[in-house]
Amino acid sequence: VWLLELALCVGVWWPWGPLRRIGTAQRLQLAVTGLLAASAVSLVKSFSLTSCPWDLQDFGGIARHLSHWQAQPDGGPGRCFPAGHASAGFGFLGGYFAFRDAAPAVARLWLAGALAMGLVLGLAQQWRGAHFLSHTLWSGWLCWVVALGVDRASRALRSSV
């Protein structure tokens, strides 16, 4: 994932493959979105009081099950919500916005790929006991919101120049 992000960053100045179909601003938008989405999920995780399933009493741990939204310690280590591994895939959702005007078919494929990657990585962590499905879905939502926000900011900057 980090190699793809590095390739996207390099692709801002030296476009390769489908990046040749979009302008420099969209390539920059794509590279920045991935970094910001991963950072946003990491930031939320760092303040999260929600522990992982394997830390819950029901599964042999010390934490008790509480809603994410109660905003109180569950007795465990916390820092498990939203799903970090899933964000490695969902972080690329910004490609949909970067490609949608110039290359709609590429945008749809990019969207499908990012969603599939995020869901597969999230499911793998769920099977390990590291996350609940809700952790994965909220990670996807947060990455989508970041991608949408970057797209709107990028469009506003381009229209003001």
Side-chain angles (χ1 to χ4, degrees), residues 7-161:
L8 292 174
C9 290
V10 169
V12 171
W13 294 278
W14 296 287
W16 49 269
L19 296 179
R20 291 186 181 123
R21 294 180 169 192
I22 56 177
T24 304
Q26 289 81 13
R27 294 191 304 265
L28 181 60
Q29 173 184 338
L30 175 55
V32 166
T33 300
L35 296 171
L36 287 178
S39 298
V41 169
S42 290
L43 181 66
V44 172
K45 280 178 77 85
S46 72
F47 290 103
S48 172
L49 299 174
T50 301
S51 295
C52 297
W54 56 36
D55 294 316
L56 298 177
Q57 292 169 352
D58 294 343
F59 305 111
I62 59 171
R64 62 190 190 286
H65 187 269
L66 298 174
S67 168
H68 309 302
W69 313 116
Q70 287 182 327
Q72 59 182 338
D74 59 15
R79 294 183 173 81
C80 194
F81 174 80
H85 282 75
S87 73
F90 292 137
F92 293 106
L93 287 170
Y96 168 75
F97 295 102
F99 284 105
R100 72 179 170 173
D101 292 335
V106 173
R108 288 188 297 275
L109 284 172
W110 198 284
L111 176 63
L115 288 172
M117 197 160 92
L119 290 170
V120 165
L121 291 169
L123 184 60
Q125 288 298 90
Q126 291 166 44
W127 283 344
R128 292 183 58 229
H131 290 290
F132 291 113
L133 176 60
S134 62
H135 296 193
T136 298
L137 297 176
W138 278 103
S139 182
W141 178 84
L142 183 57
C143 290
W144 180 263
V145 168
V146 168
L148 179 63
V150 170
D151 181 62
R152 291 202 174 157
S154 178
R155 286 175 183 273
L157 283 171
R158 287 194 307 262
S159 69
S160 70
V161 174

